[in-house]
Every structure is written in structure tokens, then in C-alpha cells.
Amino acid sequence: MVTYLSFFGEQAIAVRDCVSLFWRVLMRLPLLSKWPVRKALLKQLYFTGIQSVGPITGMGFLAGLIMVMQVSTLVGRNEMLTLQVLIWTVVRELGPLLTAIVIVGRSSSAIASELAAMQVNGEIKTLQRLGISPVTYLVLPRVLAMTLTSVVLTIYFQGVALGTGMIVTAWNIDVSLLGEVNHFFEILTYLEISAALLKSICFGVLVSIVSCYYGLTVMRAMTEIPMAASRAVIRSLLVVFACDGLITVLVF
Amino acid sequence: MNLLYRFWHTADNQTAQSFSFALSAGDIRLWQMPSIAEKMQVLEAAIGQAQYAGGRFEIQQGERRRVAIKRSVQAERRQLNCPPPSVWMPVQEARLGRVGWVAGNGGLISNLKVWENVTLPLWFHAPYETVETEQRLRFWLTSLGQKPASFAELMAAPPANLALWQKKLVGLLRALVQMPRVLIIDAEVFEAVSAELAQHWIKSLDTFAQQARVVLVLTDKATLLPWRKIEGDERDAISR
């Protein structure tokens, strides 16, 4: 009983600290005018964004292909229903979720272990002694880059998956691709676009804050670095799914 | 006398460092601590990162004539016979970047190249053109005893590829390029470097101090460094 209580107590403290960290990041947004912070942002955008384009393209293509093949076997040669299911799954759920999973897999552990290594080597302390806030220089660019990346990559994933899905459908049931694109825009609603956008923003913020938090909370032992990375990945996935469920329940 | 930085002993108990002192523009002074732990504690306080039970570090605010000061602080100052408080401020409250710091091992950030390490505090605290930064860099690198031909290679190197003396050199260079009004140095930086190089560094710090700056060197052991030690109470010097 005491163990459970202590576990929940620790989780509550982590949630409180993450909220506090996010608040401090928001307060420091104007400091983005400083060149070293902007440079760190650009580096992070390259690492989290540009380098993720390949995996996202592959996953988008496969997700679109698999979805359409599965739906076709279920609904037969029904173009409109296939398209509807494709929008429901790719735009509402798979787009933001799979993009977040790719970001968690690629960047969450990297960020957590990088920050943890800096903490263990005393480099966070060095920054503070130089009058540089670690939240401004390390956390702010990462949160901003991951949030922007999450939004852009989600849109890209959806584009690739939907494009693949429509091409395969057009080829499979012999309908015009242009007509399919027209139908797609007729079916797609602003609510679905907004929900996907909201999800991608929330996932980006949550994953980056959780990763930075677990990276910065290590003490002085080298053995804590892999633990921080694994904790960051697991907790990030957990909060992403929880947030996805919450937004889905609230919006749809 | 242009005082820039001072330490007020405020503790009631008689600690080993139960004295006060002030540094004027151009001063380089050596302060010997009884232990590494005490040195690190004082270093943290001297750069404004922590409170020190033994006393308070203050920095002069230059042209600032009127500073809002709490009544409790005013009373404390009166009790300590401090000079007029209007232009002095606790280091913790001073504008960031006014107090520089050189770590014993250079204190470099491992995932930044040397150029990024050197320009990080400079560009973080104030906007500088790249040309001006490069000029400063060349000046101080030459002053620190480096040949111009080696500049580019050094700047492009990651810290992991540097020898310990090079890491110390970059740490010192980073602080000098930033040109803070007060520079706090861990004397360990002069250990394990050749005598010739150490001489260059000592001369560079003299040049730095002559530009209306002060340097406080903290050590925890007896040293051959040429600067005058802070010994005994120098409270009179502060009041002058």
C-alpha cells in the first residue's frame, strides 16, 4: 500500500514539475531573440524534423497502403466508404499518433540522454555559472522544435498516407484519382483538421517536456543516463496515448 | 579609487574568512581558501549563483545612481557601516554577464565546438557582430600565446579532441572574449600547463584588468601565482 502511495506521489510530483517546466518555457519565449537560442532551435529542428522525414515517409506510405487494402476487403468496391474510413483513421488518429511515436522513438531518448549526460558531466551547472539558464538555452529550443516538427510531420504523414491510399484505391477499384481527391475535400471537415492539429501540438509539447524533464532530473551517476532515456520514452508514449484518448473523447 | 567589486563579511561566527575586501578597476587578487569545498562554495557565491554564509558579494552598478533598496537591507548596511548603497548591488541581482567565470578544467560544453563554446556566453548576453567577435578572439588568442595559424583548427575542434591545457585555454579565452567587469578564476586553471604558457596567461589577465576590470583568483592551496593575496580585513579600503 505504502509502495503504491509512494509511486503515485512520485508521479504527482513529476506532473507538477512538468507543468512548472512548461510554464517557465512559455515565460522565456521572448528570449528566442538571442542568437544562441535560435541556433539551438535550428539544430533541433534539423535533428527532430529533417532527419525524421525518411521514416515518416515510409510509415505514411505503408499506413496508407495497409489501410486501403484492409478497408477494401471489408467494404468491397465502395470508393466513398473507403475514403471515409481513410479520413477517420489517418486524419483523426494515425497521423498525429504515428508521427508522435516516430518522434518519441527518434528524439525523446536522444534528448533525455543528452541532457542527462550534460547534467552528470556538470555542464548544466557550467551553463548556470555562465549566467545562461538551462531552461532558456536547452529546454525552450527543444520544446519549440518538437512542437513545430510534430505539426509539420503530422501534416506530411497525412499527405503521404492519404495520397498512397487514394492512388491505391483508384488503381484497385478503377476510379478517377481526381474525382477521389474532390470527394476527399467534400468529406473532410474542419473539426477533423482542428482535432488533428490540436493533437499534434499537444503531442509535441508533451513529448518534449517529458523528455527534457527526465533528462534534467538525473543526479550525478552515469548509470542514470540510460534509465532517464528509457523513462522518457515510456512516459512520453504514455502521455501521448492518454492525451490522444482525452482529445478524442472530448472532440468526437 | 574606482571600486568595482567587494565582499562583506556578514557572518556572526569567526570563520577563517572573517574579513571584507574591495577590488578596484585594474586589480587582480588572490584569495586562498582552506579547502576545495570552501573554494567552490565561495566561487558559487562570487558569481552570483548561491548565497554564502560567510558574507555577501556586491558589484558596482556603474552610472546607476538610484537603486531601490529594501528597508531591511538598508538597516543591515547601516549596521555594517557600509558606504552609501546607491551604486552597489548583490551579485545575484546584477545583470547577467557582468561577472565572468573560468573553471579549473575549462568548463566546456561537450556537444558544442570550441567556436560555439567561446561565443555562447558572449552572444547570449549581448548581440555582437561576428567580425567584432573574431577581432576580439584573435586579440586574446594571440595574447594567450597561440599562433594565428592554429586558430581555425582550434575553433573547429570539439572539446573531446582537446588536451587538458587546451580546454583550460578555451575556458580562459571564453571569459576574456566576453569582457565581464569582474572575472572569477579557479586557480586550478594554471596547474598542469607549461611555465611559458602560464606566463602568457598571467600577462593576458594583466592586460584584461588594465581595461577597467577586476580579477579574483580563488585557490585552495599555496600557489606561486604573482598576484597579491587577500589577507586580513581590508574593510578600511572599502570605506575609502
Side-chain angles (χ1 to χ4, degrees), chain A residues 31 34-37 39 43 114 118 121 123-133 136-138 142, chain B residues 40 43-44 47 49 96-97 99 101 107-112 115-116 119-121 123-125 174 178:
Chain A
L31 296 176
K34 292 176 184 290
W35 170 239
V37 184
K39 198 174 176 190
K43 268 189 186 175
E114 186 187 10
M118 288 181 79
N121 294 333
E123 290 172 17
I124 302 284
K125 197 77 200 159
T126 298
L127 284 175
Q128 287 170 333
R129 284 175 179 166
L130 291 170
I132 297 168
S133 156
T136 307
Y137 182 64
L138 299 173
R142 281 162 177 78
Chain B
M40 295 316 289
L43 193 142
E44 289 279 316
I47 57 177
Q49 286 298 310
L96 292 173
V99 181
W101 159 74
L108 304 184
I109 308 295
S110 58
N111 56 6
L112 299 178
W115 164 258
E116 292 168 321
T119 54
L120 177 61
W123 287 351
F124 191 88
H125 295 302
R174 178 173 65 188
Q178 196 190 342

Side-chain angles (χ1 to χ4, degrees), chain B residues 5-192:
Chain B
Y5 191 70
R6 67 186 185 185
F7 172 74
W8 280 97
H9 169 68
T10 52
D12 293 330
N13 58 337
Q14 291 297 308
T15 57
Q17 273 70 48
S18 60
F19 56 80
S20 306
F21 63 85
L23 304 179
S24 313
D27 274 354
I28 304 183
R29 301 292 297 275
L30 199 62
W31 192 2
Q32 189 175 344
M33 299 289 143
S35 64
I36 294 178
E38 182 103 2
K39 181 180 77 173
M40 295 316 289
Q41 217 179 346
V42 168
L43 193 142
E44 289 279 316
I47 57 177
Q49 286 298 310
Q51 298 282 342
Y52 177 50
R56 192 170 63 225
F57 290 91
E58 291 181 324
I59 186 166
Q60 216 227 29
Q61 287 302 294
E63 291 135 32
R64 196 166 170 176
R65 294 286 168 219
R66 298 175 75 83
V67 180
I69 290 173
K70 284 182 190 168
R71 278 174 189 276
S72 57
V73 177
Q74 284 177 351
E76 189 190 351
R77 282 168 184 278
R78 272 197 297 276
Q79 202 179 353
L80 291 165
N81 285 328
C82 287
S86 59
V87 291
W88 288 94
M89 183 173 266
V91 181
Q92 289 95 330
E93 293 169 25
R95 192 163 59 80
L96 292 173
R98 285 202 154 193
V99 181
W101 159 74
V102 183
N105 61 358
L108 304 184
I109 308 295
S110 58
N111 56 6
L112 299 178
K113 288 183 178 168
V114 167
W115 164 258
E116 292 168 321
N117 262 292
V118 172
T119 54
L120 177 61
L122 178 73
W123 287 351
F124 191 88
H125 295 302
Y128 281 98
E129 293 293 329
T130 311
V131 178
E132 191 187 348
T133 307
E134 281 176 356
Q135 281 170 352
R136 280 191 190 194
L137 210 76
R138 279 176 206 288
F139 172 78
W140 286 116
L141 265 175
T142 315
S143 171
L144 289 166
Q146 299 305 296
K147 292 185 180 118
S150 66
F151 290 179
E153 196 187 342
L154 179 68
M155 289 299 123
N161 290 2
L162 302 181
L164 181 60
W165 71 267
Q166 285 177 309
K167 288 180 184 171
K168 292 178 176 189
L169 169 86
V170 175
L172 196 55
L173 176 71
R174 178 173 65 188
L176 293 173
V177 165
Q178 196 190 342
M179 290 290 284
R181 295 184 72 195
V182 178
L183 183 56
I184 312 293
I185 298 181
D186 187 335
E188 198 189 316
V189 85
F190 295 98
E191 291 171 16

